[in-house]
Amino acid sequence: MSTKNDTSLENTTEDQMRLQHLRSILFSKELDELSELKAILDSPALLDEKMKPMLETRIETHLEGLKKQFPKEFSVIVNRMIEQKIQSSQTEIMNMLSPIIGQMVANYVRHQFQILKDSIADQLQLVASQGIWWHLRNRILGLNDADLVLSASHKSVLEEIFIIERDSGLLMASAALYPTMDRDVVAGMLTAIKAFVEDAFGRKMEELEMVQYGTYCIIIQNFHSYYVAIALKGTVSTQEKEALREAIRTFVMDTPNLQNAMQDNTVEQEVSLKLKSNFIIPQEKRTAQWVELKSKPFFN
Amino acid sequence: MISKKVILTGSFGVGKTSLFQRFLTGQFNEKYLTTVGAKIAKKEIYVDGHKVALLVWDIAGEITQDKVPASYFLGASGIVYVMDMSRPTTFAHLEDDIQFLKNLLPYGVFKIVANKRDLVSDERAKELLESLPYSCDFVTSAKTGDNVETLFQEMATSLLENHHHG
Ligand SMILES: Nc1nc2c(ncn2[C@@H]2O[C@H](COP(=O)(O)OP(=O)(O)O)[C@@H](O)[C@H]2O)c(=O)[nH]1
Ligand SMILES: [Mg+2]
């Protein structure tokens, strides 16, 4: 059951096969010639046979010269051959190289994206640190924080919020910006991932608090018998995360009947609606509420 | 709607994933795909007009159940314990495993399943089933589909009964 090792082994073999294939396209003829020459040079008998017709006295020096010149001459020929081959078999080479190049491009994009993310986070930091005077100045000038922040950065969107029973992974209540794939299954998978990670670290005390994948970020807030998970798309600053955590705590305290959501469908619907009105910001209102969310919990 | 977590468990290779697939898609695939971690799927079942959503967890099997991370079992209302009729070694831990799981999930609904019925003769099947320390609830074949629907349907029925009376 060593699936992991098997896969990496397969990859290596696959890479080797690709390389082998590349080699055979590029220098199949040359490789043959080379091995023939090498056989001659390595074998005294063969060499003897080839050299006999040559002048006896010149043999030593000729051989020395041949040996010295060989790599140089050979590389010139090979280079020329490669050029020709690349011209004539571009698509074939591209097909072989594209998985490798694809990986490199993906890595590059990922790297650039991280840089972009960091710079946006810095910008957010800057705006936040300009504090009360900044806000006051903007109030006087009639500017809205949201416009300022948004003009300087990406916005994040709270797409989904789940309240999930801790052990079973069953959904207690939820709300989403768009209709999404089966939330029950997402809740289960998230619970399994959480269990896996917590198990891997072996310490129950350290619970998973965030999952990041691609441009998504899932913030997890653990309570005794359930946990709350929020899926955000886009860049999320530390302040934003803290504000959200605070908002979740307040929500939970304000919603004592949450405990009954598992048994009672009406409660589940009530809680879900409240989640929606408190956390899910419709497109048209998003700009205004986004800043509120940054600065303080945003409900009654 | 009532939702319940159901786990498939038992030694590796007994046919958990195949039963899961057969139940969800009605199909059987010969290919052996090692399950990594857990897969979860939902299926809604009607019991006397009431809808129950089963969230079925297919977990990577270990030889004995105490090797599986306990958090996978937690909160499960239904436990399907699967054995392979063609490999007697998969029966070996039945008693210990069930004890272990009952300790962990005292209120759970347990269904013990002997799978791969198609691989053994009638005689051999009878002999095997009589030798078990617990009576087997279902004899199934993920390959032919025998008893697979019934297994999950009855699981849903028991879970609903438990929900209302338990
Ligand atoms: N003949 C037969 N083969 C089965 C049956 N169920 C599963 N298998 C095969 O047994 C192997 C292991 O099955 P799998 O579902 O992956 O087992 P798991 O490790 O318990 O998930 C696979 O090759 C399946 O095709 C069955 O009922 N009859
Ligand atoms: Mg499996």
Side-chain angles (χ1 to χ4, degrees):
Chain A
M1 302 257 131
S2 54
T3 40
K4 208 168 184 184
N5 291 339
D6 288 348
T7 335
S8 63
L9 210 72
E10 264 163 37
N11 281 344
T12 327
T13 326
E14 210 185 13
D15 286 345
Q16 275 171 3
M17 273 165 59
R18 258 193 216 117
L19 210 63
Q20 199 60 47
H21 189 187
L22 181 63
R23 244 185 232 136
S24 65
I25 290 181
L26 290 176
F27 351 88
S28 58
K29 219 168 105 223
E30 290 71 22
L31 280 174
D32 288 343
E33 283 174 10
L34 177 63
S35 56
E36 206 180 300
L37 266 170
K38 201 166 174 290
I40 293 169
L41 287 175
D42 285 344
S43 146
L46 281 174
L47 199 61
D48 226 323
E49 192 189 314
K50 291 274 174 186
M51 291 297 156
K52 257 188 185 137
M54 293 183 181
L55 286 171
E56 300 271 332
T57 48
R58 303 285 293 175
I59 284 178
E60 287 300 312
T61 42
H62 194 86
L63 193 57
E64 279 310 306
L66 183 63
K67 273 186 174 167
K68 267 197 199 117
Q69 285 302 104
F70 189 79
K72 205 176 144 202
E73 305 235 326
F74 183 74
S75 75
V76 170
I77 294 167
V78 168
N79 283 342
R80 203 185 321 127
M81 290 303 291
I82 287 177
E83 259 170 40
Q84 283 171 5
K85 285 280 181 179
I86 286 176
Q87 290 290 332
S88 63
S89 47
Q90 248 177 23
T91 43
E92 204 176 350
I93 290 173
M94 278 316 288
N95 283 339
M96 273 186 312
L97 289 181
S98 61
I100 302 165
I101 291 171
Q103 194 58 46
M104 277 156 56
V105 171
N107 284 340
Y108 177 73
V109 170
R110 203 171 298 133
H111 178 68
Q112 289 303 316
F113 188 73
Q114 188 58 46
I115 291 174
L116 183 69
K117 257 171 68 177
D118 291 347
S119 81
I120 291 168
D122 287 345
Q123 277 175 315
L124 282 171
Q125 197 75 41
L126 194 68
V127 173
S129 70
Q130 281 158 335
I132 187 77
W133 297 112
W134 176 257
H135 291 274
L136 207 60
R137 188 192 77 119
N138 294 336
R139 199 64 39 83
I140 294 163
L141 293 175
L143 293 172
N144 166 320
D145 294 55
D147 295 338
L148 289 172
V149 176
L150 289 179
S151 68
S153 74
H154 260 270
K155 59 186 168 185
S156 67
V157 179
L158 197 161
E159 293 203 334
E160 285 181 274
I161 181 160
F162 304 89
I163 304 179
I164 301 166
E165 197 178 50
R166 230 169 129 139
D167 287 344
S168 66
L170 295 172
L171 204 54
M172 293 167 71
S174 70
L177 189 59
Y178 317 108
T180 43
M181 64 184 272
D182 214 326
R183 286 184 221 162
D184 293 295
V185 177
V186 173
M189 287 312 290
L190 202 54
T191 308
I193 292 168
K194 199 168 169 299
F196 175 79
V197 172
E198 286 165 9
D199 220 86
F201 290 105
R203 284 162 299 186
K204 262 277 167 254
M205 297 312 289
E206 264 169 57
E207 290 179 299
L208 187 65
E209 294 198 318
M210 210 174 93
V211 179
Q212 185 112 35
Y213 68 98
T215 57
Y216 277 90
C217 161
I218 298 172
I219 294 175
I220 292 169
Q221 180 96 1
N222 293 295
F223 294 90
H224 181 64
S225 60
Y226 53 86
Y227 68 94
V228 179
I230 290 183
L232 293 149
K233 194 181 161 84
T235 322
V236 193
S237 69
T238 316
Q239 290 101 315
E240 222 179 335
K241 280 177 202 155
E242 276 318 306
L244 271 172
R245 289 191 186 282
E246 188 54 43
I248 295 168
R249 280 191 287 271
T250 316
F251 182 90
V252 163
M253 282 193 294
D254 279 0
T255 317
N257 60 347
L258 180 56
Q259 300 287 349
N260 306 325
M262 211 61 240
Q263 278 74 43
D264 191 333
N265 274 342
T266 346
V267 176
E268 179 186 338
Q269 275 158 23
E270 256 175 53
V271 175
S272 294
L273 274 177
K274 192 169 165 190
L275 273 180
K276 183 148 194 163
S277 68
N278 280 350
F279 286 91
I280 305 293
I281 305 164
Q283 193 88 42
E284 63 276 10
K285 285 206 211 152
R286 196 168 302 143
T287 318
Q289 288 207 19
W290 194 75
V291 151
E292 271 192 84
L293 183 140
K294 268 174 48 63
S295 49
K296 64 181 167 66
F298 46 99
F299 38 76
N300 44 342
Chain B
M1 192 190 6
I2 296 164
S3 305
K4 296 287 175 189
K5 172 176 174 180
V6 174
I7 53 168
L8 283 161
T9 186
S11 190
F12 60 82
V14 294
K16 298 181 295 295
T17 303
S18 302
L19 288 168
F20 180 80
Q21 285 304 333
R22 167 63 83 177
F23 171 59
L24 290 168
T25 66
Q27 297 190 340
F28 176 75
N29 191 344
E30 287 283 352
K31 248 201 298 196
Y32 182 81
L33 296 171
T34 312
T35 314
V36 180
K39 267 209 188 92
I40 296 159
K42 178 170 117 170
K43 185 133 169 178
E44 290 170 0
I45 293 186
Y46 285 90
V47 179
D48 301 328
H50 298 280
K51 197 154 77 168
V52 191
L54 297 188
L55 278 128
V56 187
W57 290 45
D58 174 26
I59 65 177
E62 296 278 353
I63 295 171
T64 59
Q65 297 305 300
D66 51 4
K67 296 279 191 310
V68 178
S71 39
Y72 282 142
F73 298 126
L74 294 181
S77 306
I79 300 95
V80 179
Y81 185 88
V82 187
M83 299 168 295
D84 178 347
M85 297 187 87
S86 69
R87 283 188 303 151
T89 51
T90 65
F91 291 70
H93 302 286
L94 175 63
E95 200 161 4
D96 290 346
D97 281 348
I98 296 292
Q99 272 319 314
F100 174 80
L101 291 168
K102 285 209 159 142
N103 244 337
L104 214 59
L105 302 162
Y107 304 110
V109 171
F110 284 76
K111 302 284 179 200
I112 299 174
V113 173
N115 187 41
K116 307 200 192 179
R117 174 65 183 82
D118 60 292
L119 290 182
V120 292
S121 67
D122 292 356
E123 244 166 75
R124 177 82 185 116
K126 191 163 173 274
E127 190 183 293
L128 265 175
L129 293 172
E130 277 168 0
S131 72
L132 294 179
Y134 292 96
S135 72
C136 192
D137 297 296
F138 295 95
V139 179
T140 61
S141 167
K143 186 169 184 174
T144 65
D146 258 11
N147 258 339
V148 180
E149 279 291 328
T150 327
L151 158 65
F152 287 99
Q153 187 70 41
E154 296 222 350
M155 175 57 96
T157 309
S158 307
L159 288 175
L160 208 62
E161 272 168 21
N162 242 28
H163 185 83
H164 292 309
H165 309 295

